[in-house]
Amino acid sequence: MKSHRKVLTLHLPHRIGFVNITDEVQVAIDESGVQEGLCLVNPMHITASVFVNDDEPGLHRDYERFFETLVPHDPVKQWRHNDTGEDNADAHIKRQLMGREVVVAITKGRLDFGTWERIFYGEWDGRRSKRVLIKILGE
Amino acid sequence: MKSHRKVLTLHLPHRIGFVNITDEVQVAIDESGVQEGLCLVNPMHITASVFVNDDEPGLHRDYERFFETLVPHDPVKQWRHNDTGEDNADAHIKRQLMGREVVVAITKGRLDFGTWERIFYGEWDGRRSKRVLIKILGE
Amino acid sequence: MKSHRKVLTLHLPHRIGFVNITDEVQVAIDESGVQEGLCLVNPMHITASVFVNDDEPGLHRDYERFFETLVPHDPVKQWRHNDTGEDNADAHIKRQLMGREVVVAITKGRLDFGTWERIFYGEWDGRRSKRVLIKILGE
């Protein structure tokens, strides 16, 4: 059995944003030497998501508008978490709705994906550096 | 270590629908010979979900009504993704809320499930064939 | 390859509640002897969630208020699932939005977590005993 660990660091310029990290995950799989296995990808932070969807800018604008309408950042005083001095309660909720992690299959050394599947880092409270963990298990 | 890969193909007649695929996943586990391990089940498409919940038709109607109210298909022009010529932006959002994949435990060669746990394929943009990937890792 | 299985039992006094189970998961990892691997944690019930987020009481009040507003328990007759005699349709929906399971990485025998990551059991239909499955795979 083989395992491999890698950490990516991302720094998004705005509060909300989405970055395609599919290629970086495939590089980690290549480094691992795993041909058949599973790959976990998750932010090491609790106001960000990792998810699989489409690399289409219009969809990302829909995501931003939909989640911001459903879980508004402002007014920050509406959220009890923000009584602690934080202003990111909404980001903790958005991350739960979008999801924390993905587990993806590795087959013959490649991400075992359908035509349009891509892995994204989803930021809900950006403008600072955050880490994404890639953990690979297989042989 | 053993691994096993299987692909199911589903074609749902309506835009939205839910299909119990628990038995098909157990068959794949039987084929794998894995006694102790993990099993990933995910659609290879980005407008569908795999999830674990109850095989109860009333609940499935609640799911359809709840998600359609929260993320309406119509008017399709409300979503920027649909400016590309697609009409399924809502399905990309619904799939994120319901979830992409499940990872389930295999113990003594069986799905290690509570009494009411069942695996479902959730379709948000049907009327065409879609694939579900089952990937099993263990020994 | 090693595997380990453990079941926790929780009984929450109210309909909705959140319990930090991070230490119990680390104990199971210690028992497994796994140094490098993956750990799945999921409720064996379909009206509960396992998720990773912050151990902050204000945030938990935000979660309860947000999800109860979005998916109200009352009136119970609004949900077709409750025509079966149940009153927990809302809990089946809330569990999907919050998520079913987490898969977490094990590195050098420890939960491979960022500073604020904690594992929670999320109850949406409490006042009865429920089980949480921990399944560990690695070596």
Side-chain angles (χ1 to χ4, degrees):
Chain A
M1 210 206 71
K2 290 177 178 173
S3 71
H4 183 61
R5 176 188 195 266
K6 187 169 189 176
V7 173
L8 310 177
T9 302
L10 293 99
H11 188 124
L12 270 68
H14 302 293
R15 192 160 57 81
I16 297 180
F18 308 104
V19 179
N20 184 339
I21 58 170
T22 314
D23 290 349
E24 287 84 348
V25 175
Q26 183 60 54
V27 166
I29 293 169
D30 295 346
E31 292 167 355
S32 75
V34 166
Q35 293 294 303
E36 302 294 324
L38 296 174
C39 175
L40 167 70
V41 189
N42 67 265
M44 302 184 77
H45 302 260
I46 53 185
T47 51
S49 297
V50 170
F51 64 96
V52 168
N53 218 297
D54 198 0
D55 198 354
E56 199 283 298
L59 180 64
H60 299 170
R61 286 157 60 200
D62 292 331
Y63 280 146
E64 178 164 356
R65 186 173 59 86
F66 174 79
F67 285 106
E68 191 61 33
T69 303
L70 188 62
V71 194
H73 180 76
D74 294 307
V76 298
K77 290 292 185 196
Q78 74 189 295
W79 307 110
R80 297 289 62 75
H81 179 58
N82 294 341
D83 295 343
T84 63
E86 298 280 354
D87 70 350
N88 63 3
D90 63 298
H92 289 274
I93 297 175
K94 288 168 175 135
R95 113 72 167 256
Q96 289 307 126
L97 298 174
M98 187 60 116
R100 169 187 182 251
E101 79 228 4
V102 293
V103 177
V104 293
I106 303 166
T107 300
K108 296 180 184 173
R110 304 289 302 171
L111 282 169
D112 195 337
F113 267 2
T115 310
W116 300 107
E117 289 187 283
R118 300 291 181 276
I119 304 174
F120 282 86
Y121 174 76
E123 179 63 84
W124 304 110
D125 184 34
R127 296 168 292 192
R128 52 194 171 109
S129 293
K130 291 190 180 175
R131 291 173 296 156
V132 171
L133 176 65
I134 304 170
K135 186 86 184 190
I136 295 163
L137 197 68
E139 75 174 9
Chain B
M1 211 206 70
K2 291 176 176 173
S3 71
H4 183 61
R5 176 188 195 265
K6 187 170 189 175
V7 173
L8 310 177
T9 302
L10 292 99
H11 188 125
L12 270 68
H14 301 293
R15 191 160 57 81
I16 297 181
F18 309 104
V19 179
N20 184 338
I21 59 171
T22 315
D23 290 349
E24 286 83 351
V25 175
Q26 182 61 55
V27 166
I29 293 170
D30 295 345
E31 291 166 356
S32 75
V34 167
Q35 293 295 303
E36 302 294 324
L38 296 174
C39 175
L40 166 70
V41 189
N42 68 266
M44 302 183 76
H45 301 260
I46 52 184
T47 52
S49 297
V50 170
F51 64 96
V52 168
N53 218 297
D54 199 359
D55 197 354
E56 200 281 299
L59 180 64
H60 298 170
R61 286 155 61 199
D62 291 332
Y63 280 147
E64 178 165 354
R65 185 173 61 85
F66 174 79
F67 284 106
E68 190 61 32
T69 303
L70 188 63
V71 194
H73 180 77
D74 294 305
V76 298
K77 289 292 183 196
Q78 74 190 294
W79 306 110
R80 296 290 62 75
H81 178 57
N82 294 340
D83 295 343
T84 63
E86 299 280 353
D87 71 350
N88 63 3
D90 63 299
H92 289 274
I93 297 175
K94 288 167 175 137
R95 114 70 168 261
Q96 289 307 127
L97 298 173
M98 187 60 116
R100 170 186 182 252
E101 78 228 5
V102 293
V103 176
V104 294
I106 303 166
T107 301
K108 297 181 182 171
R110 304 289 301 170
L111 282 169
D112 196 337
F113 266 2
T115 309
W116 300 107
E117 288 186 285
R118 300 291 180 277
I119 304 174
F120 283 87
Y121 174 76
E123 178 63 83
W124 305 109
D125 184 33
R127 296 170 293 190
R128 53 193 171 111
S129 293
K130 290 190 181 177
R131 291 172 296 154
V132 171
L133 176 66
I134 304 170
K135 186 85 184 190
I136 295 163
L137 196 69
E139 74 174 10
Chain C
M1 210 205 71
K2 291 176 178 174
S3 70
H4 184 60
R5 176 188 196 265
K6 187 171 189 176
V7 173
L8 310 177
T9 302
L10 292 100
H11 188 125
L12 270 69
H14 301 293
R15 191 159 59 81
I16 297 180
F18 309 104
V19 179
N20 183 338
I21 58 170
T22 314
D23 290 348
E24 286 83 351
V25 174
Q26 182 60 53
V27 167
I29 293 170
D30 295 345
E31 291 166 356
S32 75
V34 167
Q35 293 295 303
E36 301 294 324
L38 296 174
C39 176
L40 167 69
V41 189
N42 67 266
M44 302 183 76
H45 301 260
I46 51 184
T47 52
S49 297
V50 169
F51 64 95
V52 168
N53 218 296
D54 198 0
D55 198 355
E56 198 282 298
L59 180 63
H60 298 170
R61 287 157 60 200
D62 292 331
Y63 280 146
E64 177 164 356
R65 186 173 61 84
F66 174 79
F67 285 106
E68 190 60 33
T69 302
L70 188 62
V71 194
H73 179 76
D74 294 306
V76 297
K77 290 293 185 196
Q78 74 190 292
W79 307 110
R80 296 289 59 78
H81 178 57
N82 294 341
D83 295 342
T84 64
E86 299 279 354
D87 70 349
N88 63 3
D90 63 297
H92 289 274
I93 298 175
K94 287 167 175 135
R95 116 69 169 260
Q96 289 308 127
L97 298 173
M98 188 61 117
R100 171 187 182 249
E101 80 229 3
V102 292
V103 176
V104 293
I106 303 166
T107 301
K108 297 181 183 172
R110 304 289 303 170
L111 282 169
D112 196 337
F113 266 1
T115 310
W116 301 107
E117 288 187 283
R118 300 290 180 276
I119 304 173
F120 283 86
Y121 174 76
E123 179 62 85
W124 305 109
D125 184 34
R127 296 168 295 192
R128 52 192 172 112
S129 294
K130 291 189 181 177
R131 290 173 296 155
V132 171
L133 176 66
I134 304 170
K135 186 85 184 189
I136 295 163
L137 197 69
E139 73 173 10

